[in-house]
């Protein structure tokens, strides 16, 4: 059985209303952490930055505004399916990204084929890998902050 799904999409990093630029973003889903997706942003001149958050948040955010805390995801235009806004926040700082909805949906479809939504708990080795996944997430957050 395959253990991960990866994709690379181009997103717009919205610096201001007047300034944005396109950056590659790696999307990753792993069966050892079946509730989360990871997005690694490759910003020019900086080390890559990885954010991990709930797969279900990304699924829901493609169709409607959602998210509490540090991650907010919403359609760019609530009347049309086309683009998605991803807002990441740490303290008072935030970053806003715009992505086409289609590549996100294609990635999520591939994750669902690997581990169907709602079946995450059925992975036989989930409990064995939970501590490892939590340690990895904590390490990623510490290295980013």
């Amino acid at each position: 059985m395959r253990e991960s799904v990866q994709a690379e999409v181009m997103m717009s990093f919205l610096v201001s209303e007047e300034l944005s630029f396109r950056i590659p973003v790696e999307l990753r889903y792993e069966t050892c952490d079946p509730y989360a997706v990871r997005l690694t942003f490759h910003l020019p001149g900086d080390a890559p930055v990885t954010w991990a958050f709930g797969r279900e948040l990304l699924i829901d955010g493609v169709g409607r505004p959602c998210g509490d805390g540090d991650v907010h995801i919403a359609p760019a235009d609530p009347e049309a399916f086309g683009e998605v806004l991803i807002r990441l926040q740490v303290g008072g700082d935030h970053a806003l990204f715009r992505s086409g909805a289609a590549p996100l949906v294609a990635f999520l479809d591939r994750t669902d084929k690997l581990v169907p939504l709602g079946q995450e708990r059925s992975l036989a080795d989930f409990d064995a890998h939970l501590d490892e996944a939590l340690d990895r997430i904590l390490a990623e957050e510490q290295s980013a902050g």
Side-chain angles (χ1 to χ4, degrees):
M1 177 173 137
R2 219 176 24 175
E3 295 186 3
S4 67
V5 172
Q6 290 180 205
E8 186 173 292
V9 300
M10 294 300 290
M11 291 188 186
S12 293
F13 175 38
L14 306 174
V15 179
S16 68
E17 287 188 30
E18 299 83 27
L19 178 63
S20 69
F21 52 93
R22 295 182 52 80
I23 61 166
V25 178
E26 179 187 338
L27 309 174
R28 186 167 180 84
Y29 176 79
E30 299 173 331
T31 58
C32 65
D33 189 7
Y35 290 100
V37 293
R38 285 178 172 65
L39 278 65
T40 300
F41 299 89
H42 297 275
L43 299 168
D46 282 329
V49 176
T50 299
W51 278 71
F53 52 87
R55 172 172 67 156
E56 199 165 345
L57 175 63
L58 185 56
I59 291 168
D60 291 346
V62 168
R64 64 178 175 80
C66 62
D68 289 324
D70 297 341
V71 180
H72 296 266
I73 304 173
D77 179 356
E79 302 297 317
F81 181 82
E83 294 186 320
V84 176
L85 297 174
I86 300 173
R87 185 174 195 259
L88 308 173
Q89 183 169 339
V90 176
D93 296 328
H94 75 275
L96 184 63
F97 300 89
R98 183 176 57 231
S99 173
L104 297 178
V105 170
F107 168 75
L108 290 166
D109 184 55
R110 290 175 53 214
T111 71
D112 191 62
K113 287 182 172 115
L114 185 60
V115 179
L117 190 63
Q119 299 297 312
E120 296 91 349
R121 190 83 176 133
S122 68
L123 292 177
D125 59 352
F126 177 70
D127 289 328
H129 293 291
L130 180 58
D131 287 334
E132 178 185 322
L134 291 174
D135 289 343
R136 187 173 57 246
I137 291 169
L138 183 58
E140 288 173 1
E141 288 179 357
Q142 288 174 347
S143 69

